[in-house]
Structures are given as C-alpha cells and as structure tokens.
C-alpha cells in the first residue's frame, strides 16, 4: 500500500532509552534516510503539505542536537577526531534546521549527505572511545561476522534496498555489495527492518523499492563494532624497520 504524502513524514518513535550514544547516532542516520526517501518518492501529483516535510526536518535537527548532547555527557577526553565528529554533527543539525525553512527541492539538497555524515561521525566517536579505553566503549558483538558487519554498515549509510520480481528477491546497494543470504540472516535476527515501497525507483518509470533500515537492535549491534577492523581480519603489522646501513671510516 502506498502511503499518502503527508504520512511519509510522520515522526517515528524515539529510540529506546538504553541505546548508547553511538547507537543513537546510527539510528538517527536511518531517520535521515527515511526523510530523504520520503521526498524522493514524491511526484507532481503527490505534493505534501509544507508543514509535513518542514516538521520532519525540524525534528531531525532537534534529534541531532540531542545526540550531540548525549556524546558530550560522556565527558570523553578531547581529541582532534572527537572534535571533528562533533563539528560535523553540528553542521548536520544546522543544515536540517535550514531545510525546514526552504522549498522541497532545496530541503532535500540540504539533507542529502546527512546519513553518511552521521555514520562517519559515529565511527569516529566509537573509535575514540576504544582508543582511550573509555568505560563507555561496548564490547564487540561476537554474533556478527565480517559480512554481517559490512552489511549493517551499508544499511546504516542508507545504501541498501530490496526488490522482488517473478517470485525472486534482489538486493541492491549503492556501496559495497550485500549478499541476499547475509541480509536474510540479519532480518531473521531482528537487526534490520524492511520498509515496503519507501525508496525511490531505480529508473524512471520503475516501481518503488523497499528500503532496508537498521532496527533499534541493529543499531545497538553495529555500535559495538563500527570503526573496528572486520571480524576475523588480522590487523596489519607495521613495516619492519629498514636495516641500518653499515658505516665505514676512512683511514686518515
């Protein structure tokens, strides 16, 4: 069933209280994808009330600011990566707020790169917490293998959609390939949600696609591993130092 235009911008339920600040950011990235998709699936015959998408943009700006506050409340040691992540999140919040005061096309442009920016900031913050051995850094979820970690990351970025044709399911990703078997295992574990016909068509005249999003549990799971090398990989060893050159002394 296709939702009416205004319903596409309904404010989602807030994340659960127990979600970590990094998990909260990953959940927020999915909400930016939802907002962008809602604009992208509109056509000339389905223009929403301006208050629908502007209200959604204001909500995203407020949620981004709240996520920044949650990170600051951790009182992490200052570091260039942490500063860069928080600055980028403030920029995202500023652009989302600005999007609430512009027309539909401009609003979409202002939030275009928000999912990637939020996920990248979450990864920087998570890596900083581990590097400083912060007590807030969660232990990696051992249930996730490398393929599942990669798939969750691609989903968080808003890269993954799913379609069906002639009884077969297909997965499409604008980034790293996500195998259908991996996606099914994540769905079976309750780590992803499928939003039917919520993503724009792959080509002009095509049908809407199903957006794959992280569930709250999926955001929590990815928060434990984002910014780490894929599970099962061996950290690269630093290159061995070059042998010292022998020095010879000339006789006087």
């Amino acid at each position: 069933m296709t939702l009416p235009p205004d319903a596409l911008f309904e404010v989602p339920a807030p994340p659960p209280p127990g979600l970590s600040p990094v998990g909260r950011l990953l959940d927020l990235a999915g909400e930016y994808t939802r907002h962008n998709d809602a604009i992208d699936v509109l056509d000339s015959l389905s223009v929403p009330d301006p208050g629908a998408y502007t209200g959604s943009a204001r909500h995203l700006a407020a949620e981004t600011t709240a996520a920044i506050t949650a990170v600051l409340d951790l009182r992490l040691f200052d570091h260039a990566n942490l500063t860069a992540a928080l600055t980028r999140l403030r920029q995202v919040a500023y652009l989302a707020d600005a999007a609430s005061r512009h027309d539909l096309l401009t609003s979409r442009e202002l939030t275009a790169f928000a999912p990637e920016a939020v996920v990248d900031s979450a990864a920087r913050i998570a890596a900083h917490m581990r590097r400083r051995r912060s007590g807030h850094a969660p232990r990696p979820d051992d249930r996730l293998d490398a393929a599942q970690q990669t798939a969750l990351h691609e989903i968080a970025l808003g890269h993954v959609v799913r379609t069906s044709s002639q009884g077969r399911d297909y997965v499409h990703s604008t980034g790293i390939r996500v195998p259908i078997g991996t996606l099914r295992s994540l769905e079976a574990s309750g780590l992803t949600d499928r939003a039917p016909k919520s993503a724009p068509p792959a080509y002009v005249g095509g049908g809407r696609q199903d957006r794959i999003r992280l569930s709250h549990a999926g955001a929590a799971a990815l928060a434990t591993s984002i910014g780490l090398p894929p599970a099962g990989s061996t950290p690269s060893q630093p290159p061995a130092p070059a042998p010292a050159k022998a020095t010879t002394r000339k006789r006087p």
Side-chain angles (χ1 to χ4, degrees):
M1 182 181 69
T2 302
L3 294 174
D6 291 357
L8 294 170
F9 296 95
E10 289 182 353
V11 175
L19 198 60
S20 70
V22 173
R24 184 172 181 171
L25 285 170
L26 296 173
D27 189 76
L28 176 64
E31 295 310 319
Y32 273 104
T33 298
R34 176 196 58 79
H35 175 85
N36 291 343
D37 280 344
I39 296 177
D40 289 342
V41 299
L42 296 173
D43 55 38
S44 59
L45 300 178
S46 57
V47 179
D49 181 89
Y53 73 85
T54 58
S56 176
R58 281 194 299 271
H59 168 76
L60 289 171
E63 285 298 304
T64 307
T65 301
I68 293 170
T69 300
V71 173
L72 292 174
D73 286 345
L74 296 177
R75 299 185 181 278
L76 301 172
F77 286 103
D78 195 16
H79 187 272
N81 279 344
L82 178 62
T83 300
L86 292 174
T87 298
R88 199 170 189 190
L89 289 172
R90 291 187 181 99
Q91 291 171 342
V92 170
Y94 177 84
L95 291 173
D97 182 66
S100 70
R101 299 190 297 274
H102 286 275
D103 61 84
L104 196 64
L105 179 59
T106 304
S107 177
R108 175 63 176 87
E109 292 175 345
L110 292 173
T111 58
F113 300 108
E116 291 88 346
V118 173
V119 172
D120 178 72
S121 296
R124 286 173 177 263
I125 292 168
H128 175 66
M129 291 164 64
R130 296 188 190 97
R131 183 168 49 248
R132 292 291 184 173
R133 292 178 171 81
S134 165
H136 303 289
R139 293 178 58 84
D141 192 328
D142 296 333
R143 297 174 301 169
L144 301 177
D145 59 26
Q148 290 172 323
Q149 288 181 20
T150 299
L152 288 176
H153 191 264
E154 288 299 303
I155 292 167
L157 290 168
H159 287 175
V160 182
V161 294
R162 191 167 175 176
T163 58
S164 299
S165 177
Q166 298 180 347
R168 297 186 62 182
D169 282 345
Y170 299 90
V171 178
H172 307 279
S173 175
T174 56
I176 300 173
R177 177 178 174 271
V178 175
I180 183 69
T182 300
L183 185 57
R184 284 173 176 161
S185 70
L186 294 173
E187 288 180 340
S189 300
L191 300 182
T192 62
D193 292 327
R194 183 174 180 174
K197 298 183 178 180
S198 62
Y203 54 89
V204 177
R208 293 184 184 180
Q209 304 178 95
D210 299 349
R211 174 67 66 193
I212 305 300
R213 301 174 186 157
L214 295 183
S215 64
H216 293 321
L222 180 58
T224 69
S225 61
I226 192 169
L228 285 173
S233 64
T234 303
S236 58
Q237 296 294 328
K245 293 183 179 180
T247 57
T248 58
R249 298 179 62 183
K250 294 182 179 180
R251 292 184 178 181

Tab-separated table of all heavy atoms in Angstrom, residues 19-40:
chain	number	residue	atom	x	y	z
A	19	LEU	N	19.712	2.730	24.443
A	19	LEU	CA	20.593	2.789	23.282
A	19	LEU	C	21.764	3.726	23.564
A	19	LEU	O	21.576	4.847	24.041
A	19	LEU	CB	19.811	3.271	22.062
A	19	LEU	CG	20.412	3.009	20.676
A	19	LEU	CD1	20.606	1.515	20.441
A	19	LEU	CD2	19.519	3.592	19.590
A	20	SER	N	22.980	3.270	23.272
A	20	SER	CA	24.173	4.076	23.538
A	20	SER	C	24.202	5.301	22.635
A	20	SER	O	23.507	5.347	21.607
A	20	SER	CB	25.429	3.238	23.291
A	20	SER	OG	25.587	2.977	21.899
A	21	PRO	N	25.007	6.318	22.970
A	21	PRO	CA	25.109	7.493	22.096
A	21	PRO	C	25.520	7.141	20.669
A	21	PRO	O	25.010	7.733	19.715
A	21	PRO	CB	26.163	8.352	22.801
A	21	PRO	CG	26.009	8.015	24.243
A	21	PRO	CD	25.711	6.544	24.258
A	22	VAL	N	26.428	6.171	20.504
A	22	VAL	CA	26.820	5.767	19.147
A	22	VAL	C	25.653	5.068	18.454
A	22	VAL	O	25.359	5.324	17.280
A	22	VAL	CB	28.061	4.851	19.187
A	22	VAL	CG1	28.363	4.284	17.801
A	22	VAL	CG2	29.270	5.629	19.708
A	23	GLY	N	24.969	4.183	19.172
A	23	GLY	CA	23.795	3.532	18.605
A	23	GLY	C	22.712	4.531	18.258
A	23	GLY	O	22.013	4.393	17.246
A	24	ARG	N	22.582	5.550	19.077
A	24	ARG	CA	21.594	6.593	18.812
A	24	ARG	C	21.914	7.333	17.515
A	24	ARG	O	21.017	7.668	16.738
A	24	ARG	CB	21.568	7.566	19.992
A	24	ARG	CG	20.517	8.648	19.902
A	24	ARG	CD	20.447	9.424	21.201
A	24	ARG	NE	19.431	10.464	21.158
A	24	ARG	CZ	19.044	11.170	22.214
A	24	ARG	NH1	19.594	10.931	23.398
A	24	ARG	NH2	18.107	12.100	22.098
A	25	LEU	N	23.190	7.571	17.267
A	25	LEU	CA	23.586	8.227	16.020
A	25	LEU	C	23.280	7.347	14.812
A	25	LEU	O	22.819	7.831	13.772
A	25	LEU	CB	25.072	8.571	16.059
A	25	LEU	CG	25.465	9.759	16.942
A	25	LEU	CD1	26.981	9.839	17.081
A	25	LEU	CD2	24.919	11.064	16.371
A	26	LEU	N	23.528	6.052	14.936
A	26	LEU	CA	23.240	5.135	13.828
A	26	LEU	C	21.743	5.070	13.560
A	26	LEU	O	21.309	5.000	12.402
A	26	LEU	CB	23.794	3.749	14.151
A	26	LEU	CG	25.318	3.674	14.281
A	26	LEU	CD1	25.748	2.296	14.779
A	26	LEU	CD2	25.993	4.000	12.953
A	27	ASP	N	20.954	5.108	14.609
A	27	ASP	CA	19.504	5.152	14.452
A	27	ASP	C	19.087	6.460	13.778
A	27	ASP	O	18.210	6.480	12.910
A	27	ASP	CB	18.844	5.018	15.828
A	27	ASP	CG	17.342	4.844	15.751
A	27	ASP	OD1	16.890	3.734	15.415
A	27	ASP	OD2	16.610	5.818	16.015
A	28	LEU	N	19.736	7.547	14.156
A	28	LEU	CA	19.440	8.858	13.576
A	28	LEU	C	19.763	8.893	12.084
A	28	LEU	O	19.016	9.485	11.291
A	28	LEU	CB	20.237	9.931	14.312
A	28	LEU	CG	20.132	11.364	13.782
A	28	LEU	CD1	18.702	11.882	13.912
A	28	LEU	CD2	21.102	12.281	14.530
A	29	ALA	N	20.859	8.260	11.690
A	29	ALA	CA	21.211	8.210	10.265
A	29	ALA	C	20.081	7.579	9.461
A	29	ALA	O	19.758	8.023	8.350
A	29	ALA	CB	22.509	7.428	10.074
A	30	GLY	N	19.463	6.545	10.029
A	30	GLY	CA	18.336	5.912	9.355
A	30	GLY	C	17.145	6.839	9.218
A	30	GLY	O	16.408	6.777	8.223
A	31	GLU	N	16.958	7.720	10.190
A	31	GLU	CA	15.849	8.668	10.107
A	31	GLU	C	16.100	9.724	9.028
A	31	GLU	O	15.165	10.197	8.381
A	31	GLU	CB	15.617	9.328	11.465
A	31	GLU	CG	15.156	8.360	12.545
A	31	GLU	CD	13.991	7.502	12.080
A	31	GLU	OE1	13.086	8.033	11.413
A	31	GLU	OE2	14.007	6.291	12.356
A	32	TYR	N	17.355	10.089	8.834
A	32	TYR	CA	17.668	10.999	7.723
A	32	TYR	C	17.400	10.314	6.385
A	32	TYR	O	16.883	10.934	5.443
A	32	TYR	CB	19.121	11.463	7.803
A	32	TYR	CG	19.326	12.683	8.667
A	32	TYR	CD1	19.880	12.575	9.939
A	32	TYR	CD2	18.956	13.950	8.218
A	32	TYR	CE1	20.063	13.698	10.744
A	32	TYR	CE2	19.137	15.079	9.010
A	32	TYR	CZ	19.691	14.948	10.269
A	32	TYR	OH	19.860	16.063	11.055
A	33	THR	N	17.740	9.036	6.288
A	33	THR	CA	17.441	8.297	5.059
A	33	THR	C	15.938	8.234	4.823
A	33	THR	O	15.462	8.410	3.693
A	33	THR	CB	18.022	6.874	5.139
A	33	THR	OG1	19.446	6.950	5.260
A	33	THR	CG2	17.673	6.067	3.899
A	34	ARG	N	15.185	7.980	5.884
A	34	ARG	CA	13.723	7.946	5.769
A	34	ARG	C	13.189	9.276	5.259
A	34	ARG	O	12.334	9.324	4.360
A	34	ARG	CB	13.103	7.624	7.136
A	34	ARG	CG	11.576	7.665	7.155
A	34	ARG	CD	11.048	7.724	8.583
A	34	ARG	NE	11.556	8.878	9.309
A	34	ARG	CZ	11.079	10.114	9.181
A	34	ARG	NH1	10.094	10.373	8.329
A	34	ARG	NH2	11.597	11.111	9.879
A	35	HIS	N	13.695	10.376	5.811
A	35	HIS	CA	13.261	11.713	5.398
A	35	HIS	C	13.589	11.961	3.923
A	35	HIS	O	12.738	12.437	3.159
A	35	HIS	CB	13.955	12.751	6.280
A	35	HIS	CG	13.697	14.172	5.880
A	35	HIS	ND1	12.588	14.883	6.291
A	35	HIS	CD2	14.418	15.021	5.094
A	35	HIS	CE1	12.628	16.104	5.779
A	35	HIS	NE2	13.729	16.217	5.054
A	36	ASN	N	14.813	11.619	3.525
A	36	ASN	CA	15.214	11.832	2.132
A	36	ASN	C	14.392	10.974	1.176
A	36	ASN	O	13.989	11.432	0.099
A	36	ASN	CB	16.702	11.529	1.965
A	36	ASN	CG	17.584	12.561	2.659
A	36	ASN	OD1	17.134	13.651	2.998
A	36	ASN	ND2	18.843	12.209	2.871
A	37	ASP	N	14.155	9.718	1.562
A	37	ASP	CA	13.336	8.840	0.724
A	37	ASP	C	11.928	9.406	0.558
A	37	ASP	O	11.340	9.336	-0.529
A	37	ASP	CB	13.240	7.447	1.351
A	37	ASP	CG	14.467	6.585	1.085
A	37	ASP	OD1	15.257	6.931	0.183
A	37	ASP	OD2	14.629	5.562	1.781
A	38	ALA	N	11.384	9.948	1.643
A	38	ALA	CA	10.018	10.470	1.591
A	38	ALA	C	9.897	11.591	0.563
A	38	ALA	O	8.872	11.714	-0.120
A	38	ALA	CB	9.599	10.973	2.973
A	39	ILE	N	10.936	12.395	0.436
A	39	ILE	CA	10.925	13.453	-0.580
A	39	ILE	C	11.139	12.860	-1.968
A	39	ILE	O	10.479	13.242	-2.942
A	39	ILE	CB	12.002	14.509	-0.271
A	39	ILE	CG1	11.684	15.220	1.048
A	39	ILE	CG2	12.108	15.530	-1.407
A	39	ILE	CD1	12.724	16.236	1.477
A	40	ASP	N	12.034	11.887	-2.061
A	40	ASP	CA	12.393	11.327	-3.366
A	40	ASP	C	11.251	10.570	-4.034
A	40	ASP	O	11.214	10.466	-5.268
A	40	ASP	CB	13.598	10.394	-3.223
A	40	ASP	CG	14.886	11.147	-2.922
A	40	ASP	OD1	14.923	12.373	-3.150
A	40	ASP	OD2	15.845	10.507	-2.446
